[in-house]
């Protein structure tokens, strides 16, 4: 993978500067987001500077085993009124995705944007945006090499968590031979593949398994069965929506699956997955969200059924247009 050498020089200078560096990611962080902020924190340490990882939301329980996870601060925990002049934002397609962490960022800050979303808005003063990488974990592997940083076991573990999650355990279409090569290199560097996958996918709260049963029961097929939806009420919300949305997409004949989840703020979160043809990132962008070609999301005001009724025709049309 090729980087612009001037960008690498700038990155190295920034990450080794005397300024404390704020490292953050998107709200409702997933394992690629958490693994990546923790990896960047270690990279900055290795380069001789200090990093503060501050997120709007808490680290999800399934990521608690990742090395350094206990060093993550949430906004409400930090008494910080400091405004950072050096900031790294990772795994976020637009700046708004960092949520209220925005208030810790100085207006004159140098912002490094490290990301792999096809919808990325290049909002940084320095941008490392590579939509052809499956995960920020994959992208960071190459940055680590390019910056001559030592690939420790803890770095490898954090990067592997992102790679295994964002590739859907090496099943999605974003899984390239390069993703597998990076996975192999991370295992060689000490990542315990089986243990990481177990922590992330097979350590589920019993309550979540019960909720999964209810959510699966909410399945509806639309049109001639090319669009599927599932609805999640607030009291049925589960830690990892991938468990159910994967089933909604796996149904034969389905091209686009949407999981609609009630959130505490009254909005509905829409998680979309497509099988082969529809670019769900474009649909998400049209509703103010973003994501990847085969996995994207947005939020909308309304009830579960109102939002379903609003988006189903859009999804049916997108499927129709894609097969024209
Ligand atoms: P999810 O369906 O929540 O697993 O998200 C799928 C992909 O879409 C992830 O890469 C997210 O970062 C992205 N995404 C989800 N929701 C949003 C949103 N509201 N705005 C921008 N990107 C989103
Ligand atoms: Mn993410
Ligand atoms: Mn990601």
């Amino acid at each position: 993978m090729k980087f612009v050498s001037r960008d690498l020089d700038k990155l190295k200078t920034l990450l080794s500067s005397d300024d404390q560096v704020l490292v953050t990611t998107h709200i409702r962080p997933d394992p690629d987001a958490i693994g990546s902020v923790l990896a960047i924190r270690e990279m900055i340490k290795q380069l001789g500077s200090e990093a503060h990882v501050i997120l709007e939301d808490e680290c999800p329980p399934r990521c608690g085993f990742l090395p350094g996870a206990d060093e993550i601060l949430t906004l409400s925990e930090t008494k910080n009124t400091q405004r950072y002049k050096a900031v790294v934002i990772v795994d976020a397609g637009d700046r708004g995705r960092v949520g209220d962490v925005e208030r810790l960022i100085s207006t004159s800050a140098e912002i490094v944007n490290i990301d792999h979303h096809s919808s990325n808005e290049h909002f940084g003063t320095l941008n490392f945006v590579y939509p052809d990488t499956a995960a920020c974990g994959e992208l960071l592997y190459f940055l680590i090499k390019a910056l001559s940083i030592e690939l420790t076991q803890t770095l490898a573990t954090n990067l592997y968590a992102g790679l295994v999650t964002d590739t859907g355990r090496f099943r999605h279409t974003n899984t390239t031979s390069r993703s597998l090569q990076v996975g192999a290199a991370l295992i060689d560097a000490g990542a315990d593949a089986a243990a990481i996958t177990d922590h992330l996918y097979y350590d589920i709260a019993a309550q979540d398994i019960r909720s999964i049963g209810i959510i699966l029961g909410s399945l509806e097929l639309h049109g001639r069965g090319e669009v599927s939806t599932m609805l999640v009420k607030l009291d049925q919300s589960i830690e990892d929506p991938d468990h159910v949305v994967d089933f909604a997409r796996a149904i034969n004949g389905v091209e686009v699956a949407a999981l609609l989840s009630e959130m505490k703020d009254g909005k509905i979160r829409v998680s979309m997955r497509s099988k082969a043809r529809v670019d769900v990132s474009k649909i998400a962008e049209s509703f103010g969200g973003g994501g990847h070609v085969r996995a994207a999301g947005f939020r909308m005001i309304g009830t579960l059924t109102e939002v379903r009724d609003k988006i189903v025709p859009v999804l049916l049309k997108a499927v129709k247009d894609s097969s024209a």
Side-chain angles (χ1 to χ4, degrees):
M1 192 158 172
K2 284 260 175 295
F3 297 107
V4 180
S5 64
R6 195 162 37 96
D7 286 354
L8 280 177
D9 291 343
K10 276 194 198 160
L11 181 66
K12 195 157 194 168
T13 309
L14 194 80
L15 299 189
S16 49
S17 76
D18 291 338
D19 283 332
Q20 289 164 332
V21 184
L22 170 66
V23 183
T24 193
T25 182
H26 61 81
I27 51 175
R28 293 187 61 91
D30 49 38
D32 192 36
I34 298 290
S36 295
V37 289
L38 294 175
I40 292 167
R41 174 175 168 271
E42 183 176 340
M43 289 163 67
I44 292 172
K45 267 190 169 175
Q46 277 201 41
L47 291 170
S49 190
E50 196 188 337
H52 294 171
V53 177
I54 306 177
L55 314 183
E56 175 170 323
D57 294 319
E58 274 174 25
C59 176
R62 70 186 188 284
C63 294
F65 75 99
L66 290 172
D70 47 353
E71 304 284 333
I72 295 175
L73 292 172
T74 59
L75 253 190
S76 53
E77 276 164 1
T78 135
K79 303 270 172 302
N80 228 332
T81 49
Q82 172 182 359
R83 281 184 170 257
Y84 291 84
K85 291 202 195 69
V87 182
V88 181
I89 298 175
V90 67
D91 201 38
D94 63 86
R95 197 159 153 177
R97 294 279 284 156
V98 305
D100 285 342
V101 171
E102 183 64 39
R103 67 176 153 83
L104 302 181
I105 302 177
S106 160
T107 46
S108 59
E110 286 286 350
I111 295 180
V112 186
N113 165 20
I114 301 177
D115 188 35
H116 69 126
H117 287 89
S118 55
S119 57
N120 191 286
E121 291 176 353
H122 292 252
F123 55 82
T125 48
L126 192 54
N127 297 288
F128 290 89
V129 177
Y130 292 84
D132 64 331
T133 53
C136 286
E138 183 176 322
L139 170 51
L140 286 173
Y141 170 83
F142 291 104
L143 273 179
I144 285 167
K145 294 278 154 198
L147 294 169
S148 305
I149 289 171
E150 185 198 347
L151 182 63
T152 59
Q153 183 175 13
T154 45
L155 275 175
T157 301
N158 280 315
L159 300 187
Y160 193 89
L163 186 58
V164 77
T165 304
D166 276 17
T167 55
R169 287 163 277 173
F170 301 108
R171 291 171 305 146
H172 296 331
T173 47
N174 59 357
T175 309
T176 61
S177 66
R178 190 180 62 193
S179 320
L180 292 168
Q181 280 159 7
V182 171
L186 296 175
I187 291 172
D188 285 342
D192 183 338
I196 294 167
T197 306
D198 269 353
H199 276 295
L200 293 175
Y201 290 97
Y202 302 99
D203 189 18
I204 308 170
Q207 188 52 46
D208 276 19
I209 297 289
R210 289 194 187 94
S211 295
I212 287 169
I214 299 170
I215 298 164
L216 293 179
S218 76
L219 170 72
E220 287 179 312
L221 292 171
H222 306 276
R224 290 196 205 91
E226 61 273 43
V227 169
S228 64
T229 54
M230 288 183 184
L231 308 178
V232 188
K233 301 224 171 75
L234 195 55
D235 61 355
Q236 298 155 358
S237 61
I238 55 174
E239 197 193 330
D240 185 357
D242 275 349
H243 289 303
V244 285
V245 78
D246 272 357
F247 281 114
R249 198 195 64 147
I251 299 164
N252 41 38
V254 166
E255 167 60 19
V256 179
L259 179 75
L260 282 64
S261 312
E262 280 180 350
M263 296 193 307
K264 284 199 194 91
D265 65 6
K267 286 190 188 155
I268 303 297
R269 189 160 56 93
V270 180
S271 294
M272 296 179 294
R273 302 289 183 270
S274 67
K275 213 177 258 174
R277 300 194 306 271
V278 173
D279 181 349
V280 285
S281 154
K282 289 259 163 59
I283 300 173
E285 281 179 64
S286 75
F287 287 115
H292 309 285
V293 178
R294 300 272 170 263
F298 62 91
R299 284 148 196 249
M300 192 184 263
I301 295 172
T303 64
L304 282 171
T305 48
E306 280 166 4
V307 171
R308 178 198 61 196
D309 294 346
K310 212 176 270 180
I311 68 162
V312 164
V314 178
L315 301 181
L316 285 172
K317 183 172 184 304
V319 176
K320 192 162 173 244
D321 292 350
S322 75
S323 47

